[in-house]
Amino acid sequence: MAKKPEDQERPGRIKQLRMIAGIIKQANPKGMPIVYASALGTFALCVVIGLVTGSIWYLLFIGVMLSLTVGLVVFGQLAQRAQYSMLHGQPGAAAAILQGMRGTWEVAPAVAVNRDQDIVHRVVGFPGVILVSEGPGSRVQKMLVAEKKRVQRVALDVPVYDIQSGDGEGQVPIAKLQRHLMKLPRNLKKPAVYEVNNRLKALSQTLPMPKGPLPRGAKMPRPKMR
């Protein structure tokens, strides 16, 4: 059976691990040595315990399994940190973090953008509707308030949360953004999440106004009537 074109273009598991290892090395030159040291240290500890207790062959098997597990856990944590360091300060970083969340999270990036390129993303999940902003707190607060009013007209009695992502006072760093959302209370069930998300899709995006005067002959776009 012939492989699909997308399957041929998709890198293999080993190639993916090498790519991630390269990213870790770029973000932290000591990252991969830490992975190797954690795996070897776990194996050595199991060997010592096996020699002391007289169960060397059993502990050798356990040591191999544990060392692989520990190495992969440390590898995953360093890969996540490398991702955060690469995204830090980049426009749309919060959207990339939100779209990488596992579970029932419906993410709509850039539902509101102003002329200063501050952004508001919308997430629908078990807590309800979460609005996540990117930009200085002095500017994005007005955007969050306006977007919250738009959402509440459609979401009705569904809880709506607003979160500012960033490094400013009162903002949530992108490295802690996923954890922050996971701590929110579960107010909706799975069918309600999809139902609310479908209702919100009818909202039009708030597009940025261009800076400076409009060029001659330019017309403002008209909203589509439904």
Side-chain angles (χ1 to χ4, degrees):
M1 185 176 179
K3 292 183 178 181
K4 296 181 180 180
E6 56 268 22
D7 293 336
Q8 295 176 352
E9 295 178 0
R10 188 180 300 166
R13 183 65 58 85
I14 301 298
K15 190 174 181 180
Q16 287 180 342
L17 291 175
R18 288 178 179 173
M19 291 170 58
I20 297 172
I23 294 173
I24 294 175
K25 188 182 296 184
Q26 183 180 358
N28 181 9
K30 297 181 180 179
M32 292 311 297
I34 292 174
V35 174
Y36 301 142
S38 61
L40 291 174
T42 303
F43 182 74
L45 180 61
C46 290
V47 171
V48 171
I49 295 174
L51 291 172
V52 172
T53 60
S55 306
I56 183 62
W57 296 111
Y58 175 72
L59 266 299
L60 279 176
F61 174 76
I62 296 297
V64 171
M65 303 302 295
L66 279 178
S67 61
L68 288 175
T69 302
V70 171
L72 288 174
V73 169
V74 176
F75 182 83
Q77 290 177 344
L78 290 174
Q80 191 175 51
R81 291 179 186 176
Q83 179 191 22
Y84 291 151
S85 65
M86 292 178 65
L87 290 173
H88 188 270
Q90 300 293 325
I97 298 299
L98 295 170
Q99 290 174 323
M101 294 181 66
R102 297 179 181 179
T104 307
W105 300 96
E106 301 293 328
V107 181
V111 293
V113 184
N114 65 13
R115 62 180 183 178
D116 294 307
Q117 301 305 305
D118 302 323
I119 312 171
V120 174
H121 312 293
R122 185 180 68 231
V123 184
V124 183
F126 291 121
V129 183
I130 307 106
L131 301 174
V132 182
S133 66
E134 293 186 45
S138 58
R139 294 202 304 252
V140 297
Q141 185 58 36
K142 293 181 180 180
M143 295 178 62
L144 286 171
V145 171
E147 189 62 25
K148 193 171 185 177
K149 289 181 179 178
R150 293 177 70 242
V151 168
Q152 286 174 331
R153 287 198 293 265
V154 178
L156 301 178
D157 57 345
V158 176
V160 182
Y161 302 88
D162 57 275
I163 299 171
Q164 292 188 17
S165 68
D167 299 321
E169 185 178 355
Q171 296 185 328
V172 180
I174 60 171
K176 298 180 180 179
L177 187 57
Q178 287 190 6
R179 193 184 312 167
H180 188 86
L181 265 66
M182 294 295 291
K183 290 182 178 180
L184 294 175
R186 295 168 68 93
N187 301 309
L188 302 180
K189 294 185 178 180
K190 197 170 185 178
V193 172
Y194 296 125
E195 193 269 333
V196 172
N197 187 58
N198 288 333
R199 274 190 280 160
L200 290 174
K201 285 181 179 179
L203 290 175
S204 59
Q205 291 183 329
T206 305
L207 300 176
M209 291 288 294
K211 291 184 178 181
L214 289 173
R216 292 183 179 180
K219 296 181 179 180
M220 292 295 295
R222 296 181 179 179
K224 294 182 180 179
M225 301 298 293
R226 294 182 179 272

